[in-house]
Amino acid sequence: MLTRLRVSGFKNLVDVDVRFGPFTCIAGTNGVGKSNLFDAISFLSAMASKPLMDAALSVRDEGGKTTDVRSLFHRVGDNFADTISFEAEMIVPEESDDDLGQRAKASITFLRYKLCIKYKTDDRQSSRGALELVEEELAPIKLGDASKHLLFPHGVRTWRTSAVKGRRSGGKFISTDNGGIRLHQDRSGGRPFSRTASSLPRTVVSAANAAESPTALLARREMQSWRLLQLEPSSLRRPDDFSAPYGLGPDGSHLPATLNYLSKGLVMREQIPALSAESQIFARVANRLSDLIHDIRAVGIDRDERRGLLTVFVKDHDGTSQLNSNRSLIRRASFTRR
């Protein structure tokens, strides 16, 4: 969960500091930087998975697509800022797997991540330039300081104790010193791995694994989960086949397979019958939807064994599988995964 973001030098964002809660509304007139704030989050998320240049080229510019990474830097007239800096505070998952399927557990789940990159000319790619790491840091936020950082209303003994866990006595997980970025092992006394910042094609956190840096891996997984969803009705109506991979698409596609995966995950974690797990998952979804749309009574998945398709349907309070078209909702919600 992203709880705070500071960004400076990115597009029209200079010294911006935003705190996030479980639900945060971003409002403002045209051109003040609302979309750029979301682009900054998407850029930071992309750098947790991709090389610097690939991450930069995935971010849109004013024309809708980035071809010159210089366009990501703040500009006044013909003058561009030299660097872009990010500082993100986040609550990370306690456990996850790395790319080789190895399990990792975070030493502490409340972290602060800093990143600074600069633009440099590249003779081989002179039309779009290149990016260089200046600073990268991953540090723990002490549990005793959590109240100073989590400013949104929450239960201290319920939510906070379940989300903010662990401790760190050995300092930072990633640090920068004299042009070198050092990856410190989670266990105390371990020798840090040092790399020259200017020669790195990607962030250190993007290469984290369970063996060397489990907490950095969990920070990576958290940043990778930051998604910008722009829901598109036709994508939401598309069914999924049984073999489709799970994961909600940016346009809202793959909802049936994602809900199906969530119900199966509940079976494995809590060892409860499949039908009971599906009922729990879909009841939660229906309850959330009913807060917004009072006609919602139930949500479920129709499994077409003959065609191998998963279809999400919604029932209203009359028990029919249709929704009020006057609210611009579909009469039968069908979704397909790739």
Side-chain angles (χ1 to χ4, degrees), residues 58-118:
S58 71
V59 181
R60 66 174 184 86
D61 60 12
E62 293 179 356
K65 183 178 180 181
T66 295
T67 55
D68 180 2
V69 297
R70 190 73 171 181
S71 65
L72 301 181
F73 288 73
H74 179 64
R75 183 181 67 180
V76 178
D78 294 330
N79 299 317
F80 289 87
D82 295 326
T83 61
I84 298 174
S85 62
F86 300 92
E87 182 177 334
E89 294 180 4
M90 67 189 93
I91 298 174
V92 305
E94 188 176 12
E95 294 186 11
S96 187
D97 296 334
D98 66 12
D99 295 343
L100 297 178
Q102 302 302 302
R103 199 66 176 170
K105 184 174 181 178
S107 300
I108 187 168
T109 60
F110 201 8
L111 302 169
R112 179 187 298 106
Y113 180 67
K114 293 182 180 180
L115 183 68
C116 182
I117 58 175
K118 73 176 183 179

Side-chain angles (χ1 to χ4, degrees), residues 44-65:
L44 192 55
S45 175
M47 286 190 287
S49 300
K50 304 175 181 180
L52 298 176
M53 285 299 297
D54 290 349
L57 294 174
S58 71
V59 181
R60 66 174 184 86
D61 60 12
E62 293 179 356
K65 183 178 180 181

